[in-house]
Amino acid sequence: MYGVIDGTGFEVLDPSFEACFIGHARVERLAEGCRWVEGPAWFAPGRYVVWSDIPNNRMMRWDETDGSVSVFRAPSNNTNGHTEDGQGRLVSCEHLARRVTRTEFDGSIKVIADSYQGKRLNSPNDVVVKSDGSIWFTDPSYGIMMDYEGERAESEIGACYVYRWDPESEEIAAVATDYVKPNGLAFSPDESELFIADTGGTHDPGGPAHIRRHAVSGDGRSLGEGAHFADCSNGFFDGFRFDRDGRIWSSAADGVHCLDGTGKLIGKIHIPEIVSNVCFGGPKLNRLFITATSSLYAVYLNVNGAR
Ligand code: MG
């Protein structure tokens, strides 16, 4: 259950990657037995990672103090992406209930957003919280395309947008409307830009498998036009996170891809299952947690995650 596994390792594609990892640090498998895992999030005060096991309609928890794995919440409304807000609260995307929620300090669940202009959201996929408390999330249609990870339904909105939830008005606004399947998203470490993955190629052979970058407006409420950042060379950029130095660590079919600030692929962490998402954790944010198909993996790196 816990130990060094075959099929893992670091691949250097540019010399700059060599400083990013520790030669003798190994990838470990921390949990297994899930069906399709997503949405890892690290909770520093409790020293645990929460993630989704979407088809099994549950959220899991791995405890750093003793390595134990347990069910965090079930049923979970087929949650997908998670993050923690600036106060340490869990923010979750729910496929089945087609909404974004926040778990409050008393354990109650607050609905952040479930509709746009009177129409139900599709199936929120991934979410990030900006330092001003605004919540940004993607709304592709994966959770309503099949019963396996949600419930089949027609899209009421008829498109897949990226939204921003305003902490004062508690309203959402569409901030990017030209994506096929917007998926993972992350702010650059200084929050001047928002990077968004488009995984439209999953159901359209010629469709996008890339990340675009958008300038965030001065008032922090809107985005500039997206500019192409990088194409995924193997599978899809589903979920990704920044390290403190501005590199992106992203999911891909053959593992984790590390991109430098120009979008160049500088190295890989090979993982023997298709990777969906990553997050940095541990007290120093120098451990990368990786959700991949049926398992949760982790590896210590020589970089630190951006907050
Ligand atoms: Mg995703």
Side-chain angles (χ1 to χ4, degrees):
M1 185 78 164
Y2 188 96
V4 174
I5 49 168
D6 294 336
T8 68
F10 295 99
E11 181 182 357
V12 176
L13 297 167
D14 181 275
S16 64
F17 189 58
E18 280 162 16
C20 297
F21 64 92
I22 298 144
H24 58 272
R26 292 287 178 262
V27 176
E28 299 159 294
R29 182 186 283 131
L30 304 181
E32 58 191 354
C34 298
R35 285 207 158 86
W36 177 251
V37 293
E38 247 283 9
W42 166 255
F43 290 86
R47 296 175 57 191
Y48 58 85
V49 175
V50 167
W51 75 97
S52 297
D53 179 5
I54 305 176
N56 282 324
N57 198 15
R58 62 182 182 169
M59 293 159 65
M60 305 299 292
R61 172 165 105 159
W62 173 82
D63 189 327
E64 189 194 40
T65 66
D66 62 2
S68 63
V69 176
S70 56
V71 174
F72 181 86
R73 180 184 299 165
S76 63
N77 286 328
N78 301 106
T79 54
N80 189 328
H82 304 279
T83 193
E84 72 281 22
D85 73 4
Q87 299 184 49
R89 291 172 294 193
L90 172 68
V91 180
S92 303
C93 295
E94 300 182 4
H95 276 184
L96 185 64
R98 300 168 65 170
R99 63 186 191 179
V100 176
T101 60
R102 187 174 69 205
T103 303
E104 303 294 287
F105 293 123
D106 65 2
S108 62
I109 292 178
K110 174 187 169 74
V111 178
I112 295 294
D114 59 5
S115 65
Y116 176 63
Q117 295 180 340
K119 296 171 180 164
R120 292 187 78 188
L121 296 175
N122 298 320
S123 51
N125 187 292
D126 215 340
V127 59
V128 65
V129 179
K130 198 166 173 288
S131 60
D132 63 4
S134 57
I135 298 173
W136 304 61
F137 64 94
T138 56
D139 185 41
S141 52
Y142 293 114
I144 57 172
M145 292 172 71
M146 55 184 164
D147 291 326
Y148 188 55
E149 296 186 16
E151 193 163 75
R152 199 189 308 271
E154 285 297 313
S155 172
E156 295 185 15
I157 294 167
C160 301
Y161 295 156
V162 182
Y163 297 95
R164 174 187 181 272
W165 177 83
D166 187 87
E168 276 149 36
S169 69
E170 304 208 345
E171 299 279 326
I172 62 168
V175 290
T177 58
D178 58 350
Y179 280 74
V180 181
K181 296 264 190 290
N183 204 317
L185 72 176
F187 285 100
S188 58
D190 66 1
E191 295 189 333
S192 67
E193 291 183 285
L194 182 66
F195 288 65
I196 307 171
D198 196 332
T199 54
T202 54
H203 291 75
D204 171 10
H210 58 222
I211 292 174
R212 289 161 63 198
R213 63 196 302 173
H214 301 254
V216 178
S217 64
D219 66 4
R221 291 172 168 269
S222 59
L223 299 176
E225 216 171 289
H228 178 269
F229 177 67
D231 284 308
C232 190
S233 59
N234 192 334
F236 294 96
F237 298 134
D238 185 339
F240 58 93
R241 295 285 202 277
F242 272 93
D243 70 27
R244 232 169 255 177
D245 300 318
R247 297 177 205 90
I248 280 180
W249 298 77
S250 176
S251 73
D254 55 347
V256 176
H257 287 191
C258 181
L259 312 172
D260 70 11
T262 69
K264 181 182 183 185
L265 177 62
I266 61 170
K268 298 181 181 181
I269 308 170
H270 285 271
I271 299 291
E273 300 182 84
I274 294 171
V275 174
S276 63
N277 214 330
V278 301
C279 76
F280 285 94
K284 297 174 182 170
L285 297 180
N286 64 337
R287 195 175 190 186
L288 192 70
F289 292 91
I290 301 159
T291 50
T293 309
S294 70
S295 308
L296 176 73
Y297 298 85
V299 63
Y300 282 98
L301 296 173
N302 199 29
V303 303
N304 306 83
R307 191 213 80 78

